[in-house]
């Protein structure tokens, strides 16, 4: 087959095709991501965030820390665990550590940040929740309610980002 005619025309922009192909991969083109894909991505982030946040609350409470250091630890651990889920998945897919960290940061930062902002705002705004102990129903109600609201708010954010080839869309190439 003669391919010479293909290269005789105007300059061919391969970058545009690569970017276009990435946005169209997996049905995440201009039509956007499905709600199911966005919900799965959000649930993935929420799982890591919840583990980290609950662990941080338990550690801070056990060490008799005040509200601010306990929340800071909980938020930090939410990011660590949230990133780690993606990091381990893309490492299993064969990505080197440095590239895997870049993918995890690109995939999860906005999702985790939105989730943590919403969840912690709900806890902070729920009367008495900041002073509740781990054995109090109010603590768990505020925390789990915060997770539920954070899921509802973060899912459309993830849908929008995935539909534009960002956020969790960068992980799809490694599945």
């Amino acid at each position: 087959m003669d391919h010479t005619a293909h290269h005789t025309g105007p300059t061919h922009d391969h970058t545009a095709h690569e970017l276009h192909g990435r946005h169209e991969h997996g049905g995440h083109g201009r039509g956007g991501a499905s709600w199911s894909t966005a919900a799965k991505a959000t649930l993935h982030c929420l799982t890591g965030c919840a583990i980290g946040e609950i662990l941080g609350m338990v550690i801070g409470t056990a060490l008799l820390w005040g509200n601010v250091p306990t929340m800071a630890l909980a938020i930090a651990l939410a990011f660590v665990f949230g990133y780690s889920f993606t990091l381990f998945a893309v490492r299993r897919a064969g990505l080197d550590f440095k590239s895997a960290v870049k993918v995890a940061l690109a995939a999860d930062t906005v999702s985790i940040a939105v989730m943590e902002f919403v969840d912690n705002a709900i806890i902070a705004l729920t009367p008495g929740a900041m002073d509740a102990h781990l054995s109090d129903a109010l603590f768990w109600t505020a925390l789990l309610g915060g997770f539920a609201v954070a899921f509802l708010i973060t899912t459309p954010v993830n849908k929008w980002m995935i539909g534009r080839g960002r956020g969790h869309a960068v992980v799809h190439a490694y599945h």
Side-chain angles (χ1 to χ4, degrees):
M1 182 182 291
D2 182 16
H3 293 286
T4 57
H6 179 72
H7 298 288
T8 59
T11 306
H12 191 71
D13 184 5
H14 290 281
T15 307
H17 282 293
E18 289 170 12
L19 290 174
H20 177 72
R22 181 176 7 191
H23 289 293
E24 293 300 318
H25 176 71
H28 305 304
R30 298 210 184 274
S34 71
W35 282 105
S36 173
T37 298
K40 287 176 188 173
T42 306
L43 188 58
H44 179 266
C45 263
L46 180 61
T47 302
C49 287
I51 291 169
E53 191 159 332
I54 291 169
L55 184 60
M57 295 286 190
V58 169
I59 292 170
T61 301
L63 295 175
L64 303 175
W65 288 0
N67 291 337
V68 173
T70 298
M71 282 189 93
L73 177 63
I75 292 167
L77 289 178
F79 274 91
V80 168
F81 278 86
Y83 287 137
S84 70
F85 276 35
T86 298
L87 184 66
F88 291 134
V90 295
R91 288 281 292 143
R92 265 195 317 266
L95 220 56
D96 65 278
F97 185 76
K98 184 177 178 181
S99 298
V101 168
K102 288 179 182 179
V103 167
L105 291 172
D108 295 332
T109 299
V110 172
S111 183
I112 295 171
V114 170
M115 212 169 297
E116 285 303 299
F117 177 79
V118 171
D119 176 49
N120 284 287
I122 288 172
I123 292 169
L125 294 173
T126 300
M130 293 294 292
D131 297 319
H133 297 281
L134 295 175
S135 59
D136 295 337
L138 177 60
F139 170 82
W140 293 102
T141 303
L143 184 65
L144 297 177
F147 289 152
V149 173
F151 177 83
L152 294 174
I153 290 174
T154 307
T155 298
V157 172
N158 281 332
K159 183 179 185 310
W160 182 84
M161 289 180 57
I162 293 167
R164 280 145 189 83
R166 294 194 166 90
H168 282 266
V170 300
V171 177
H172 289 274
Y174 305 102
H175 286 279

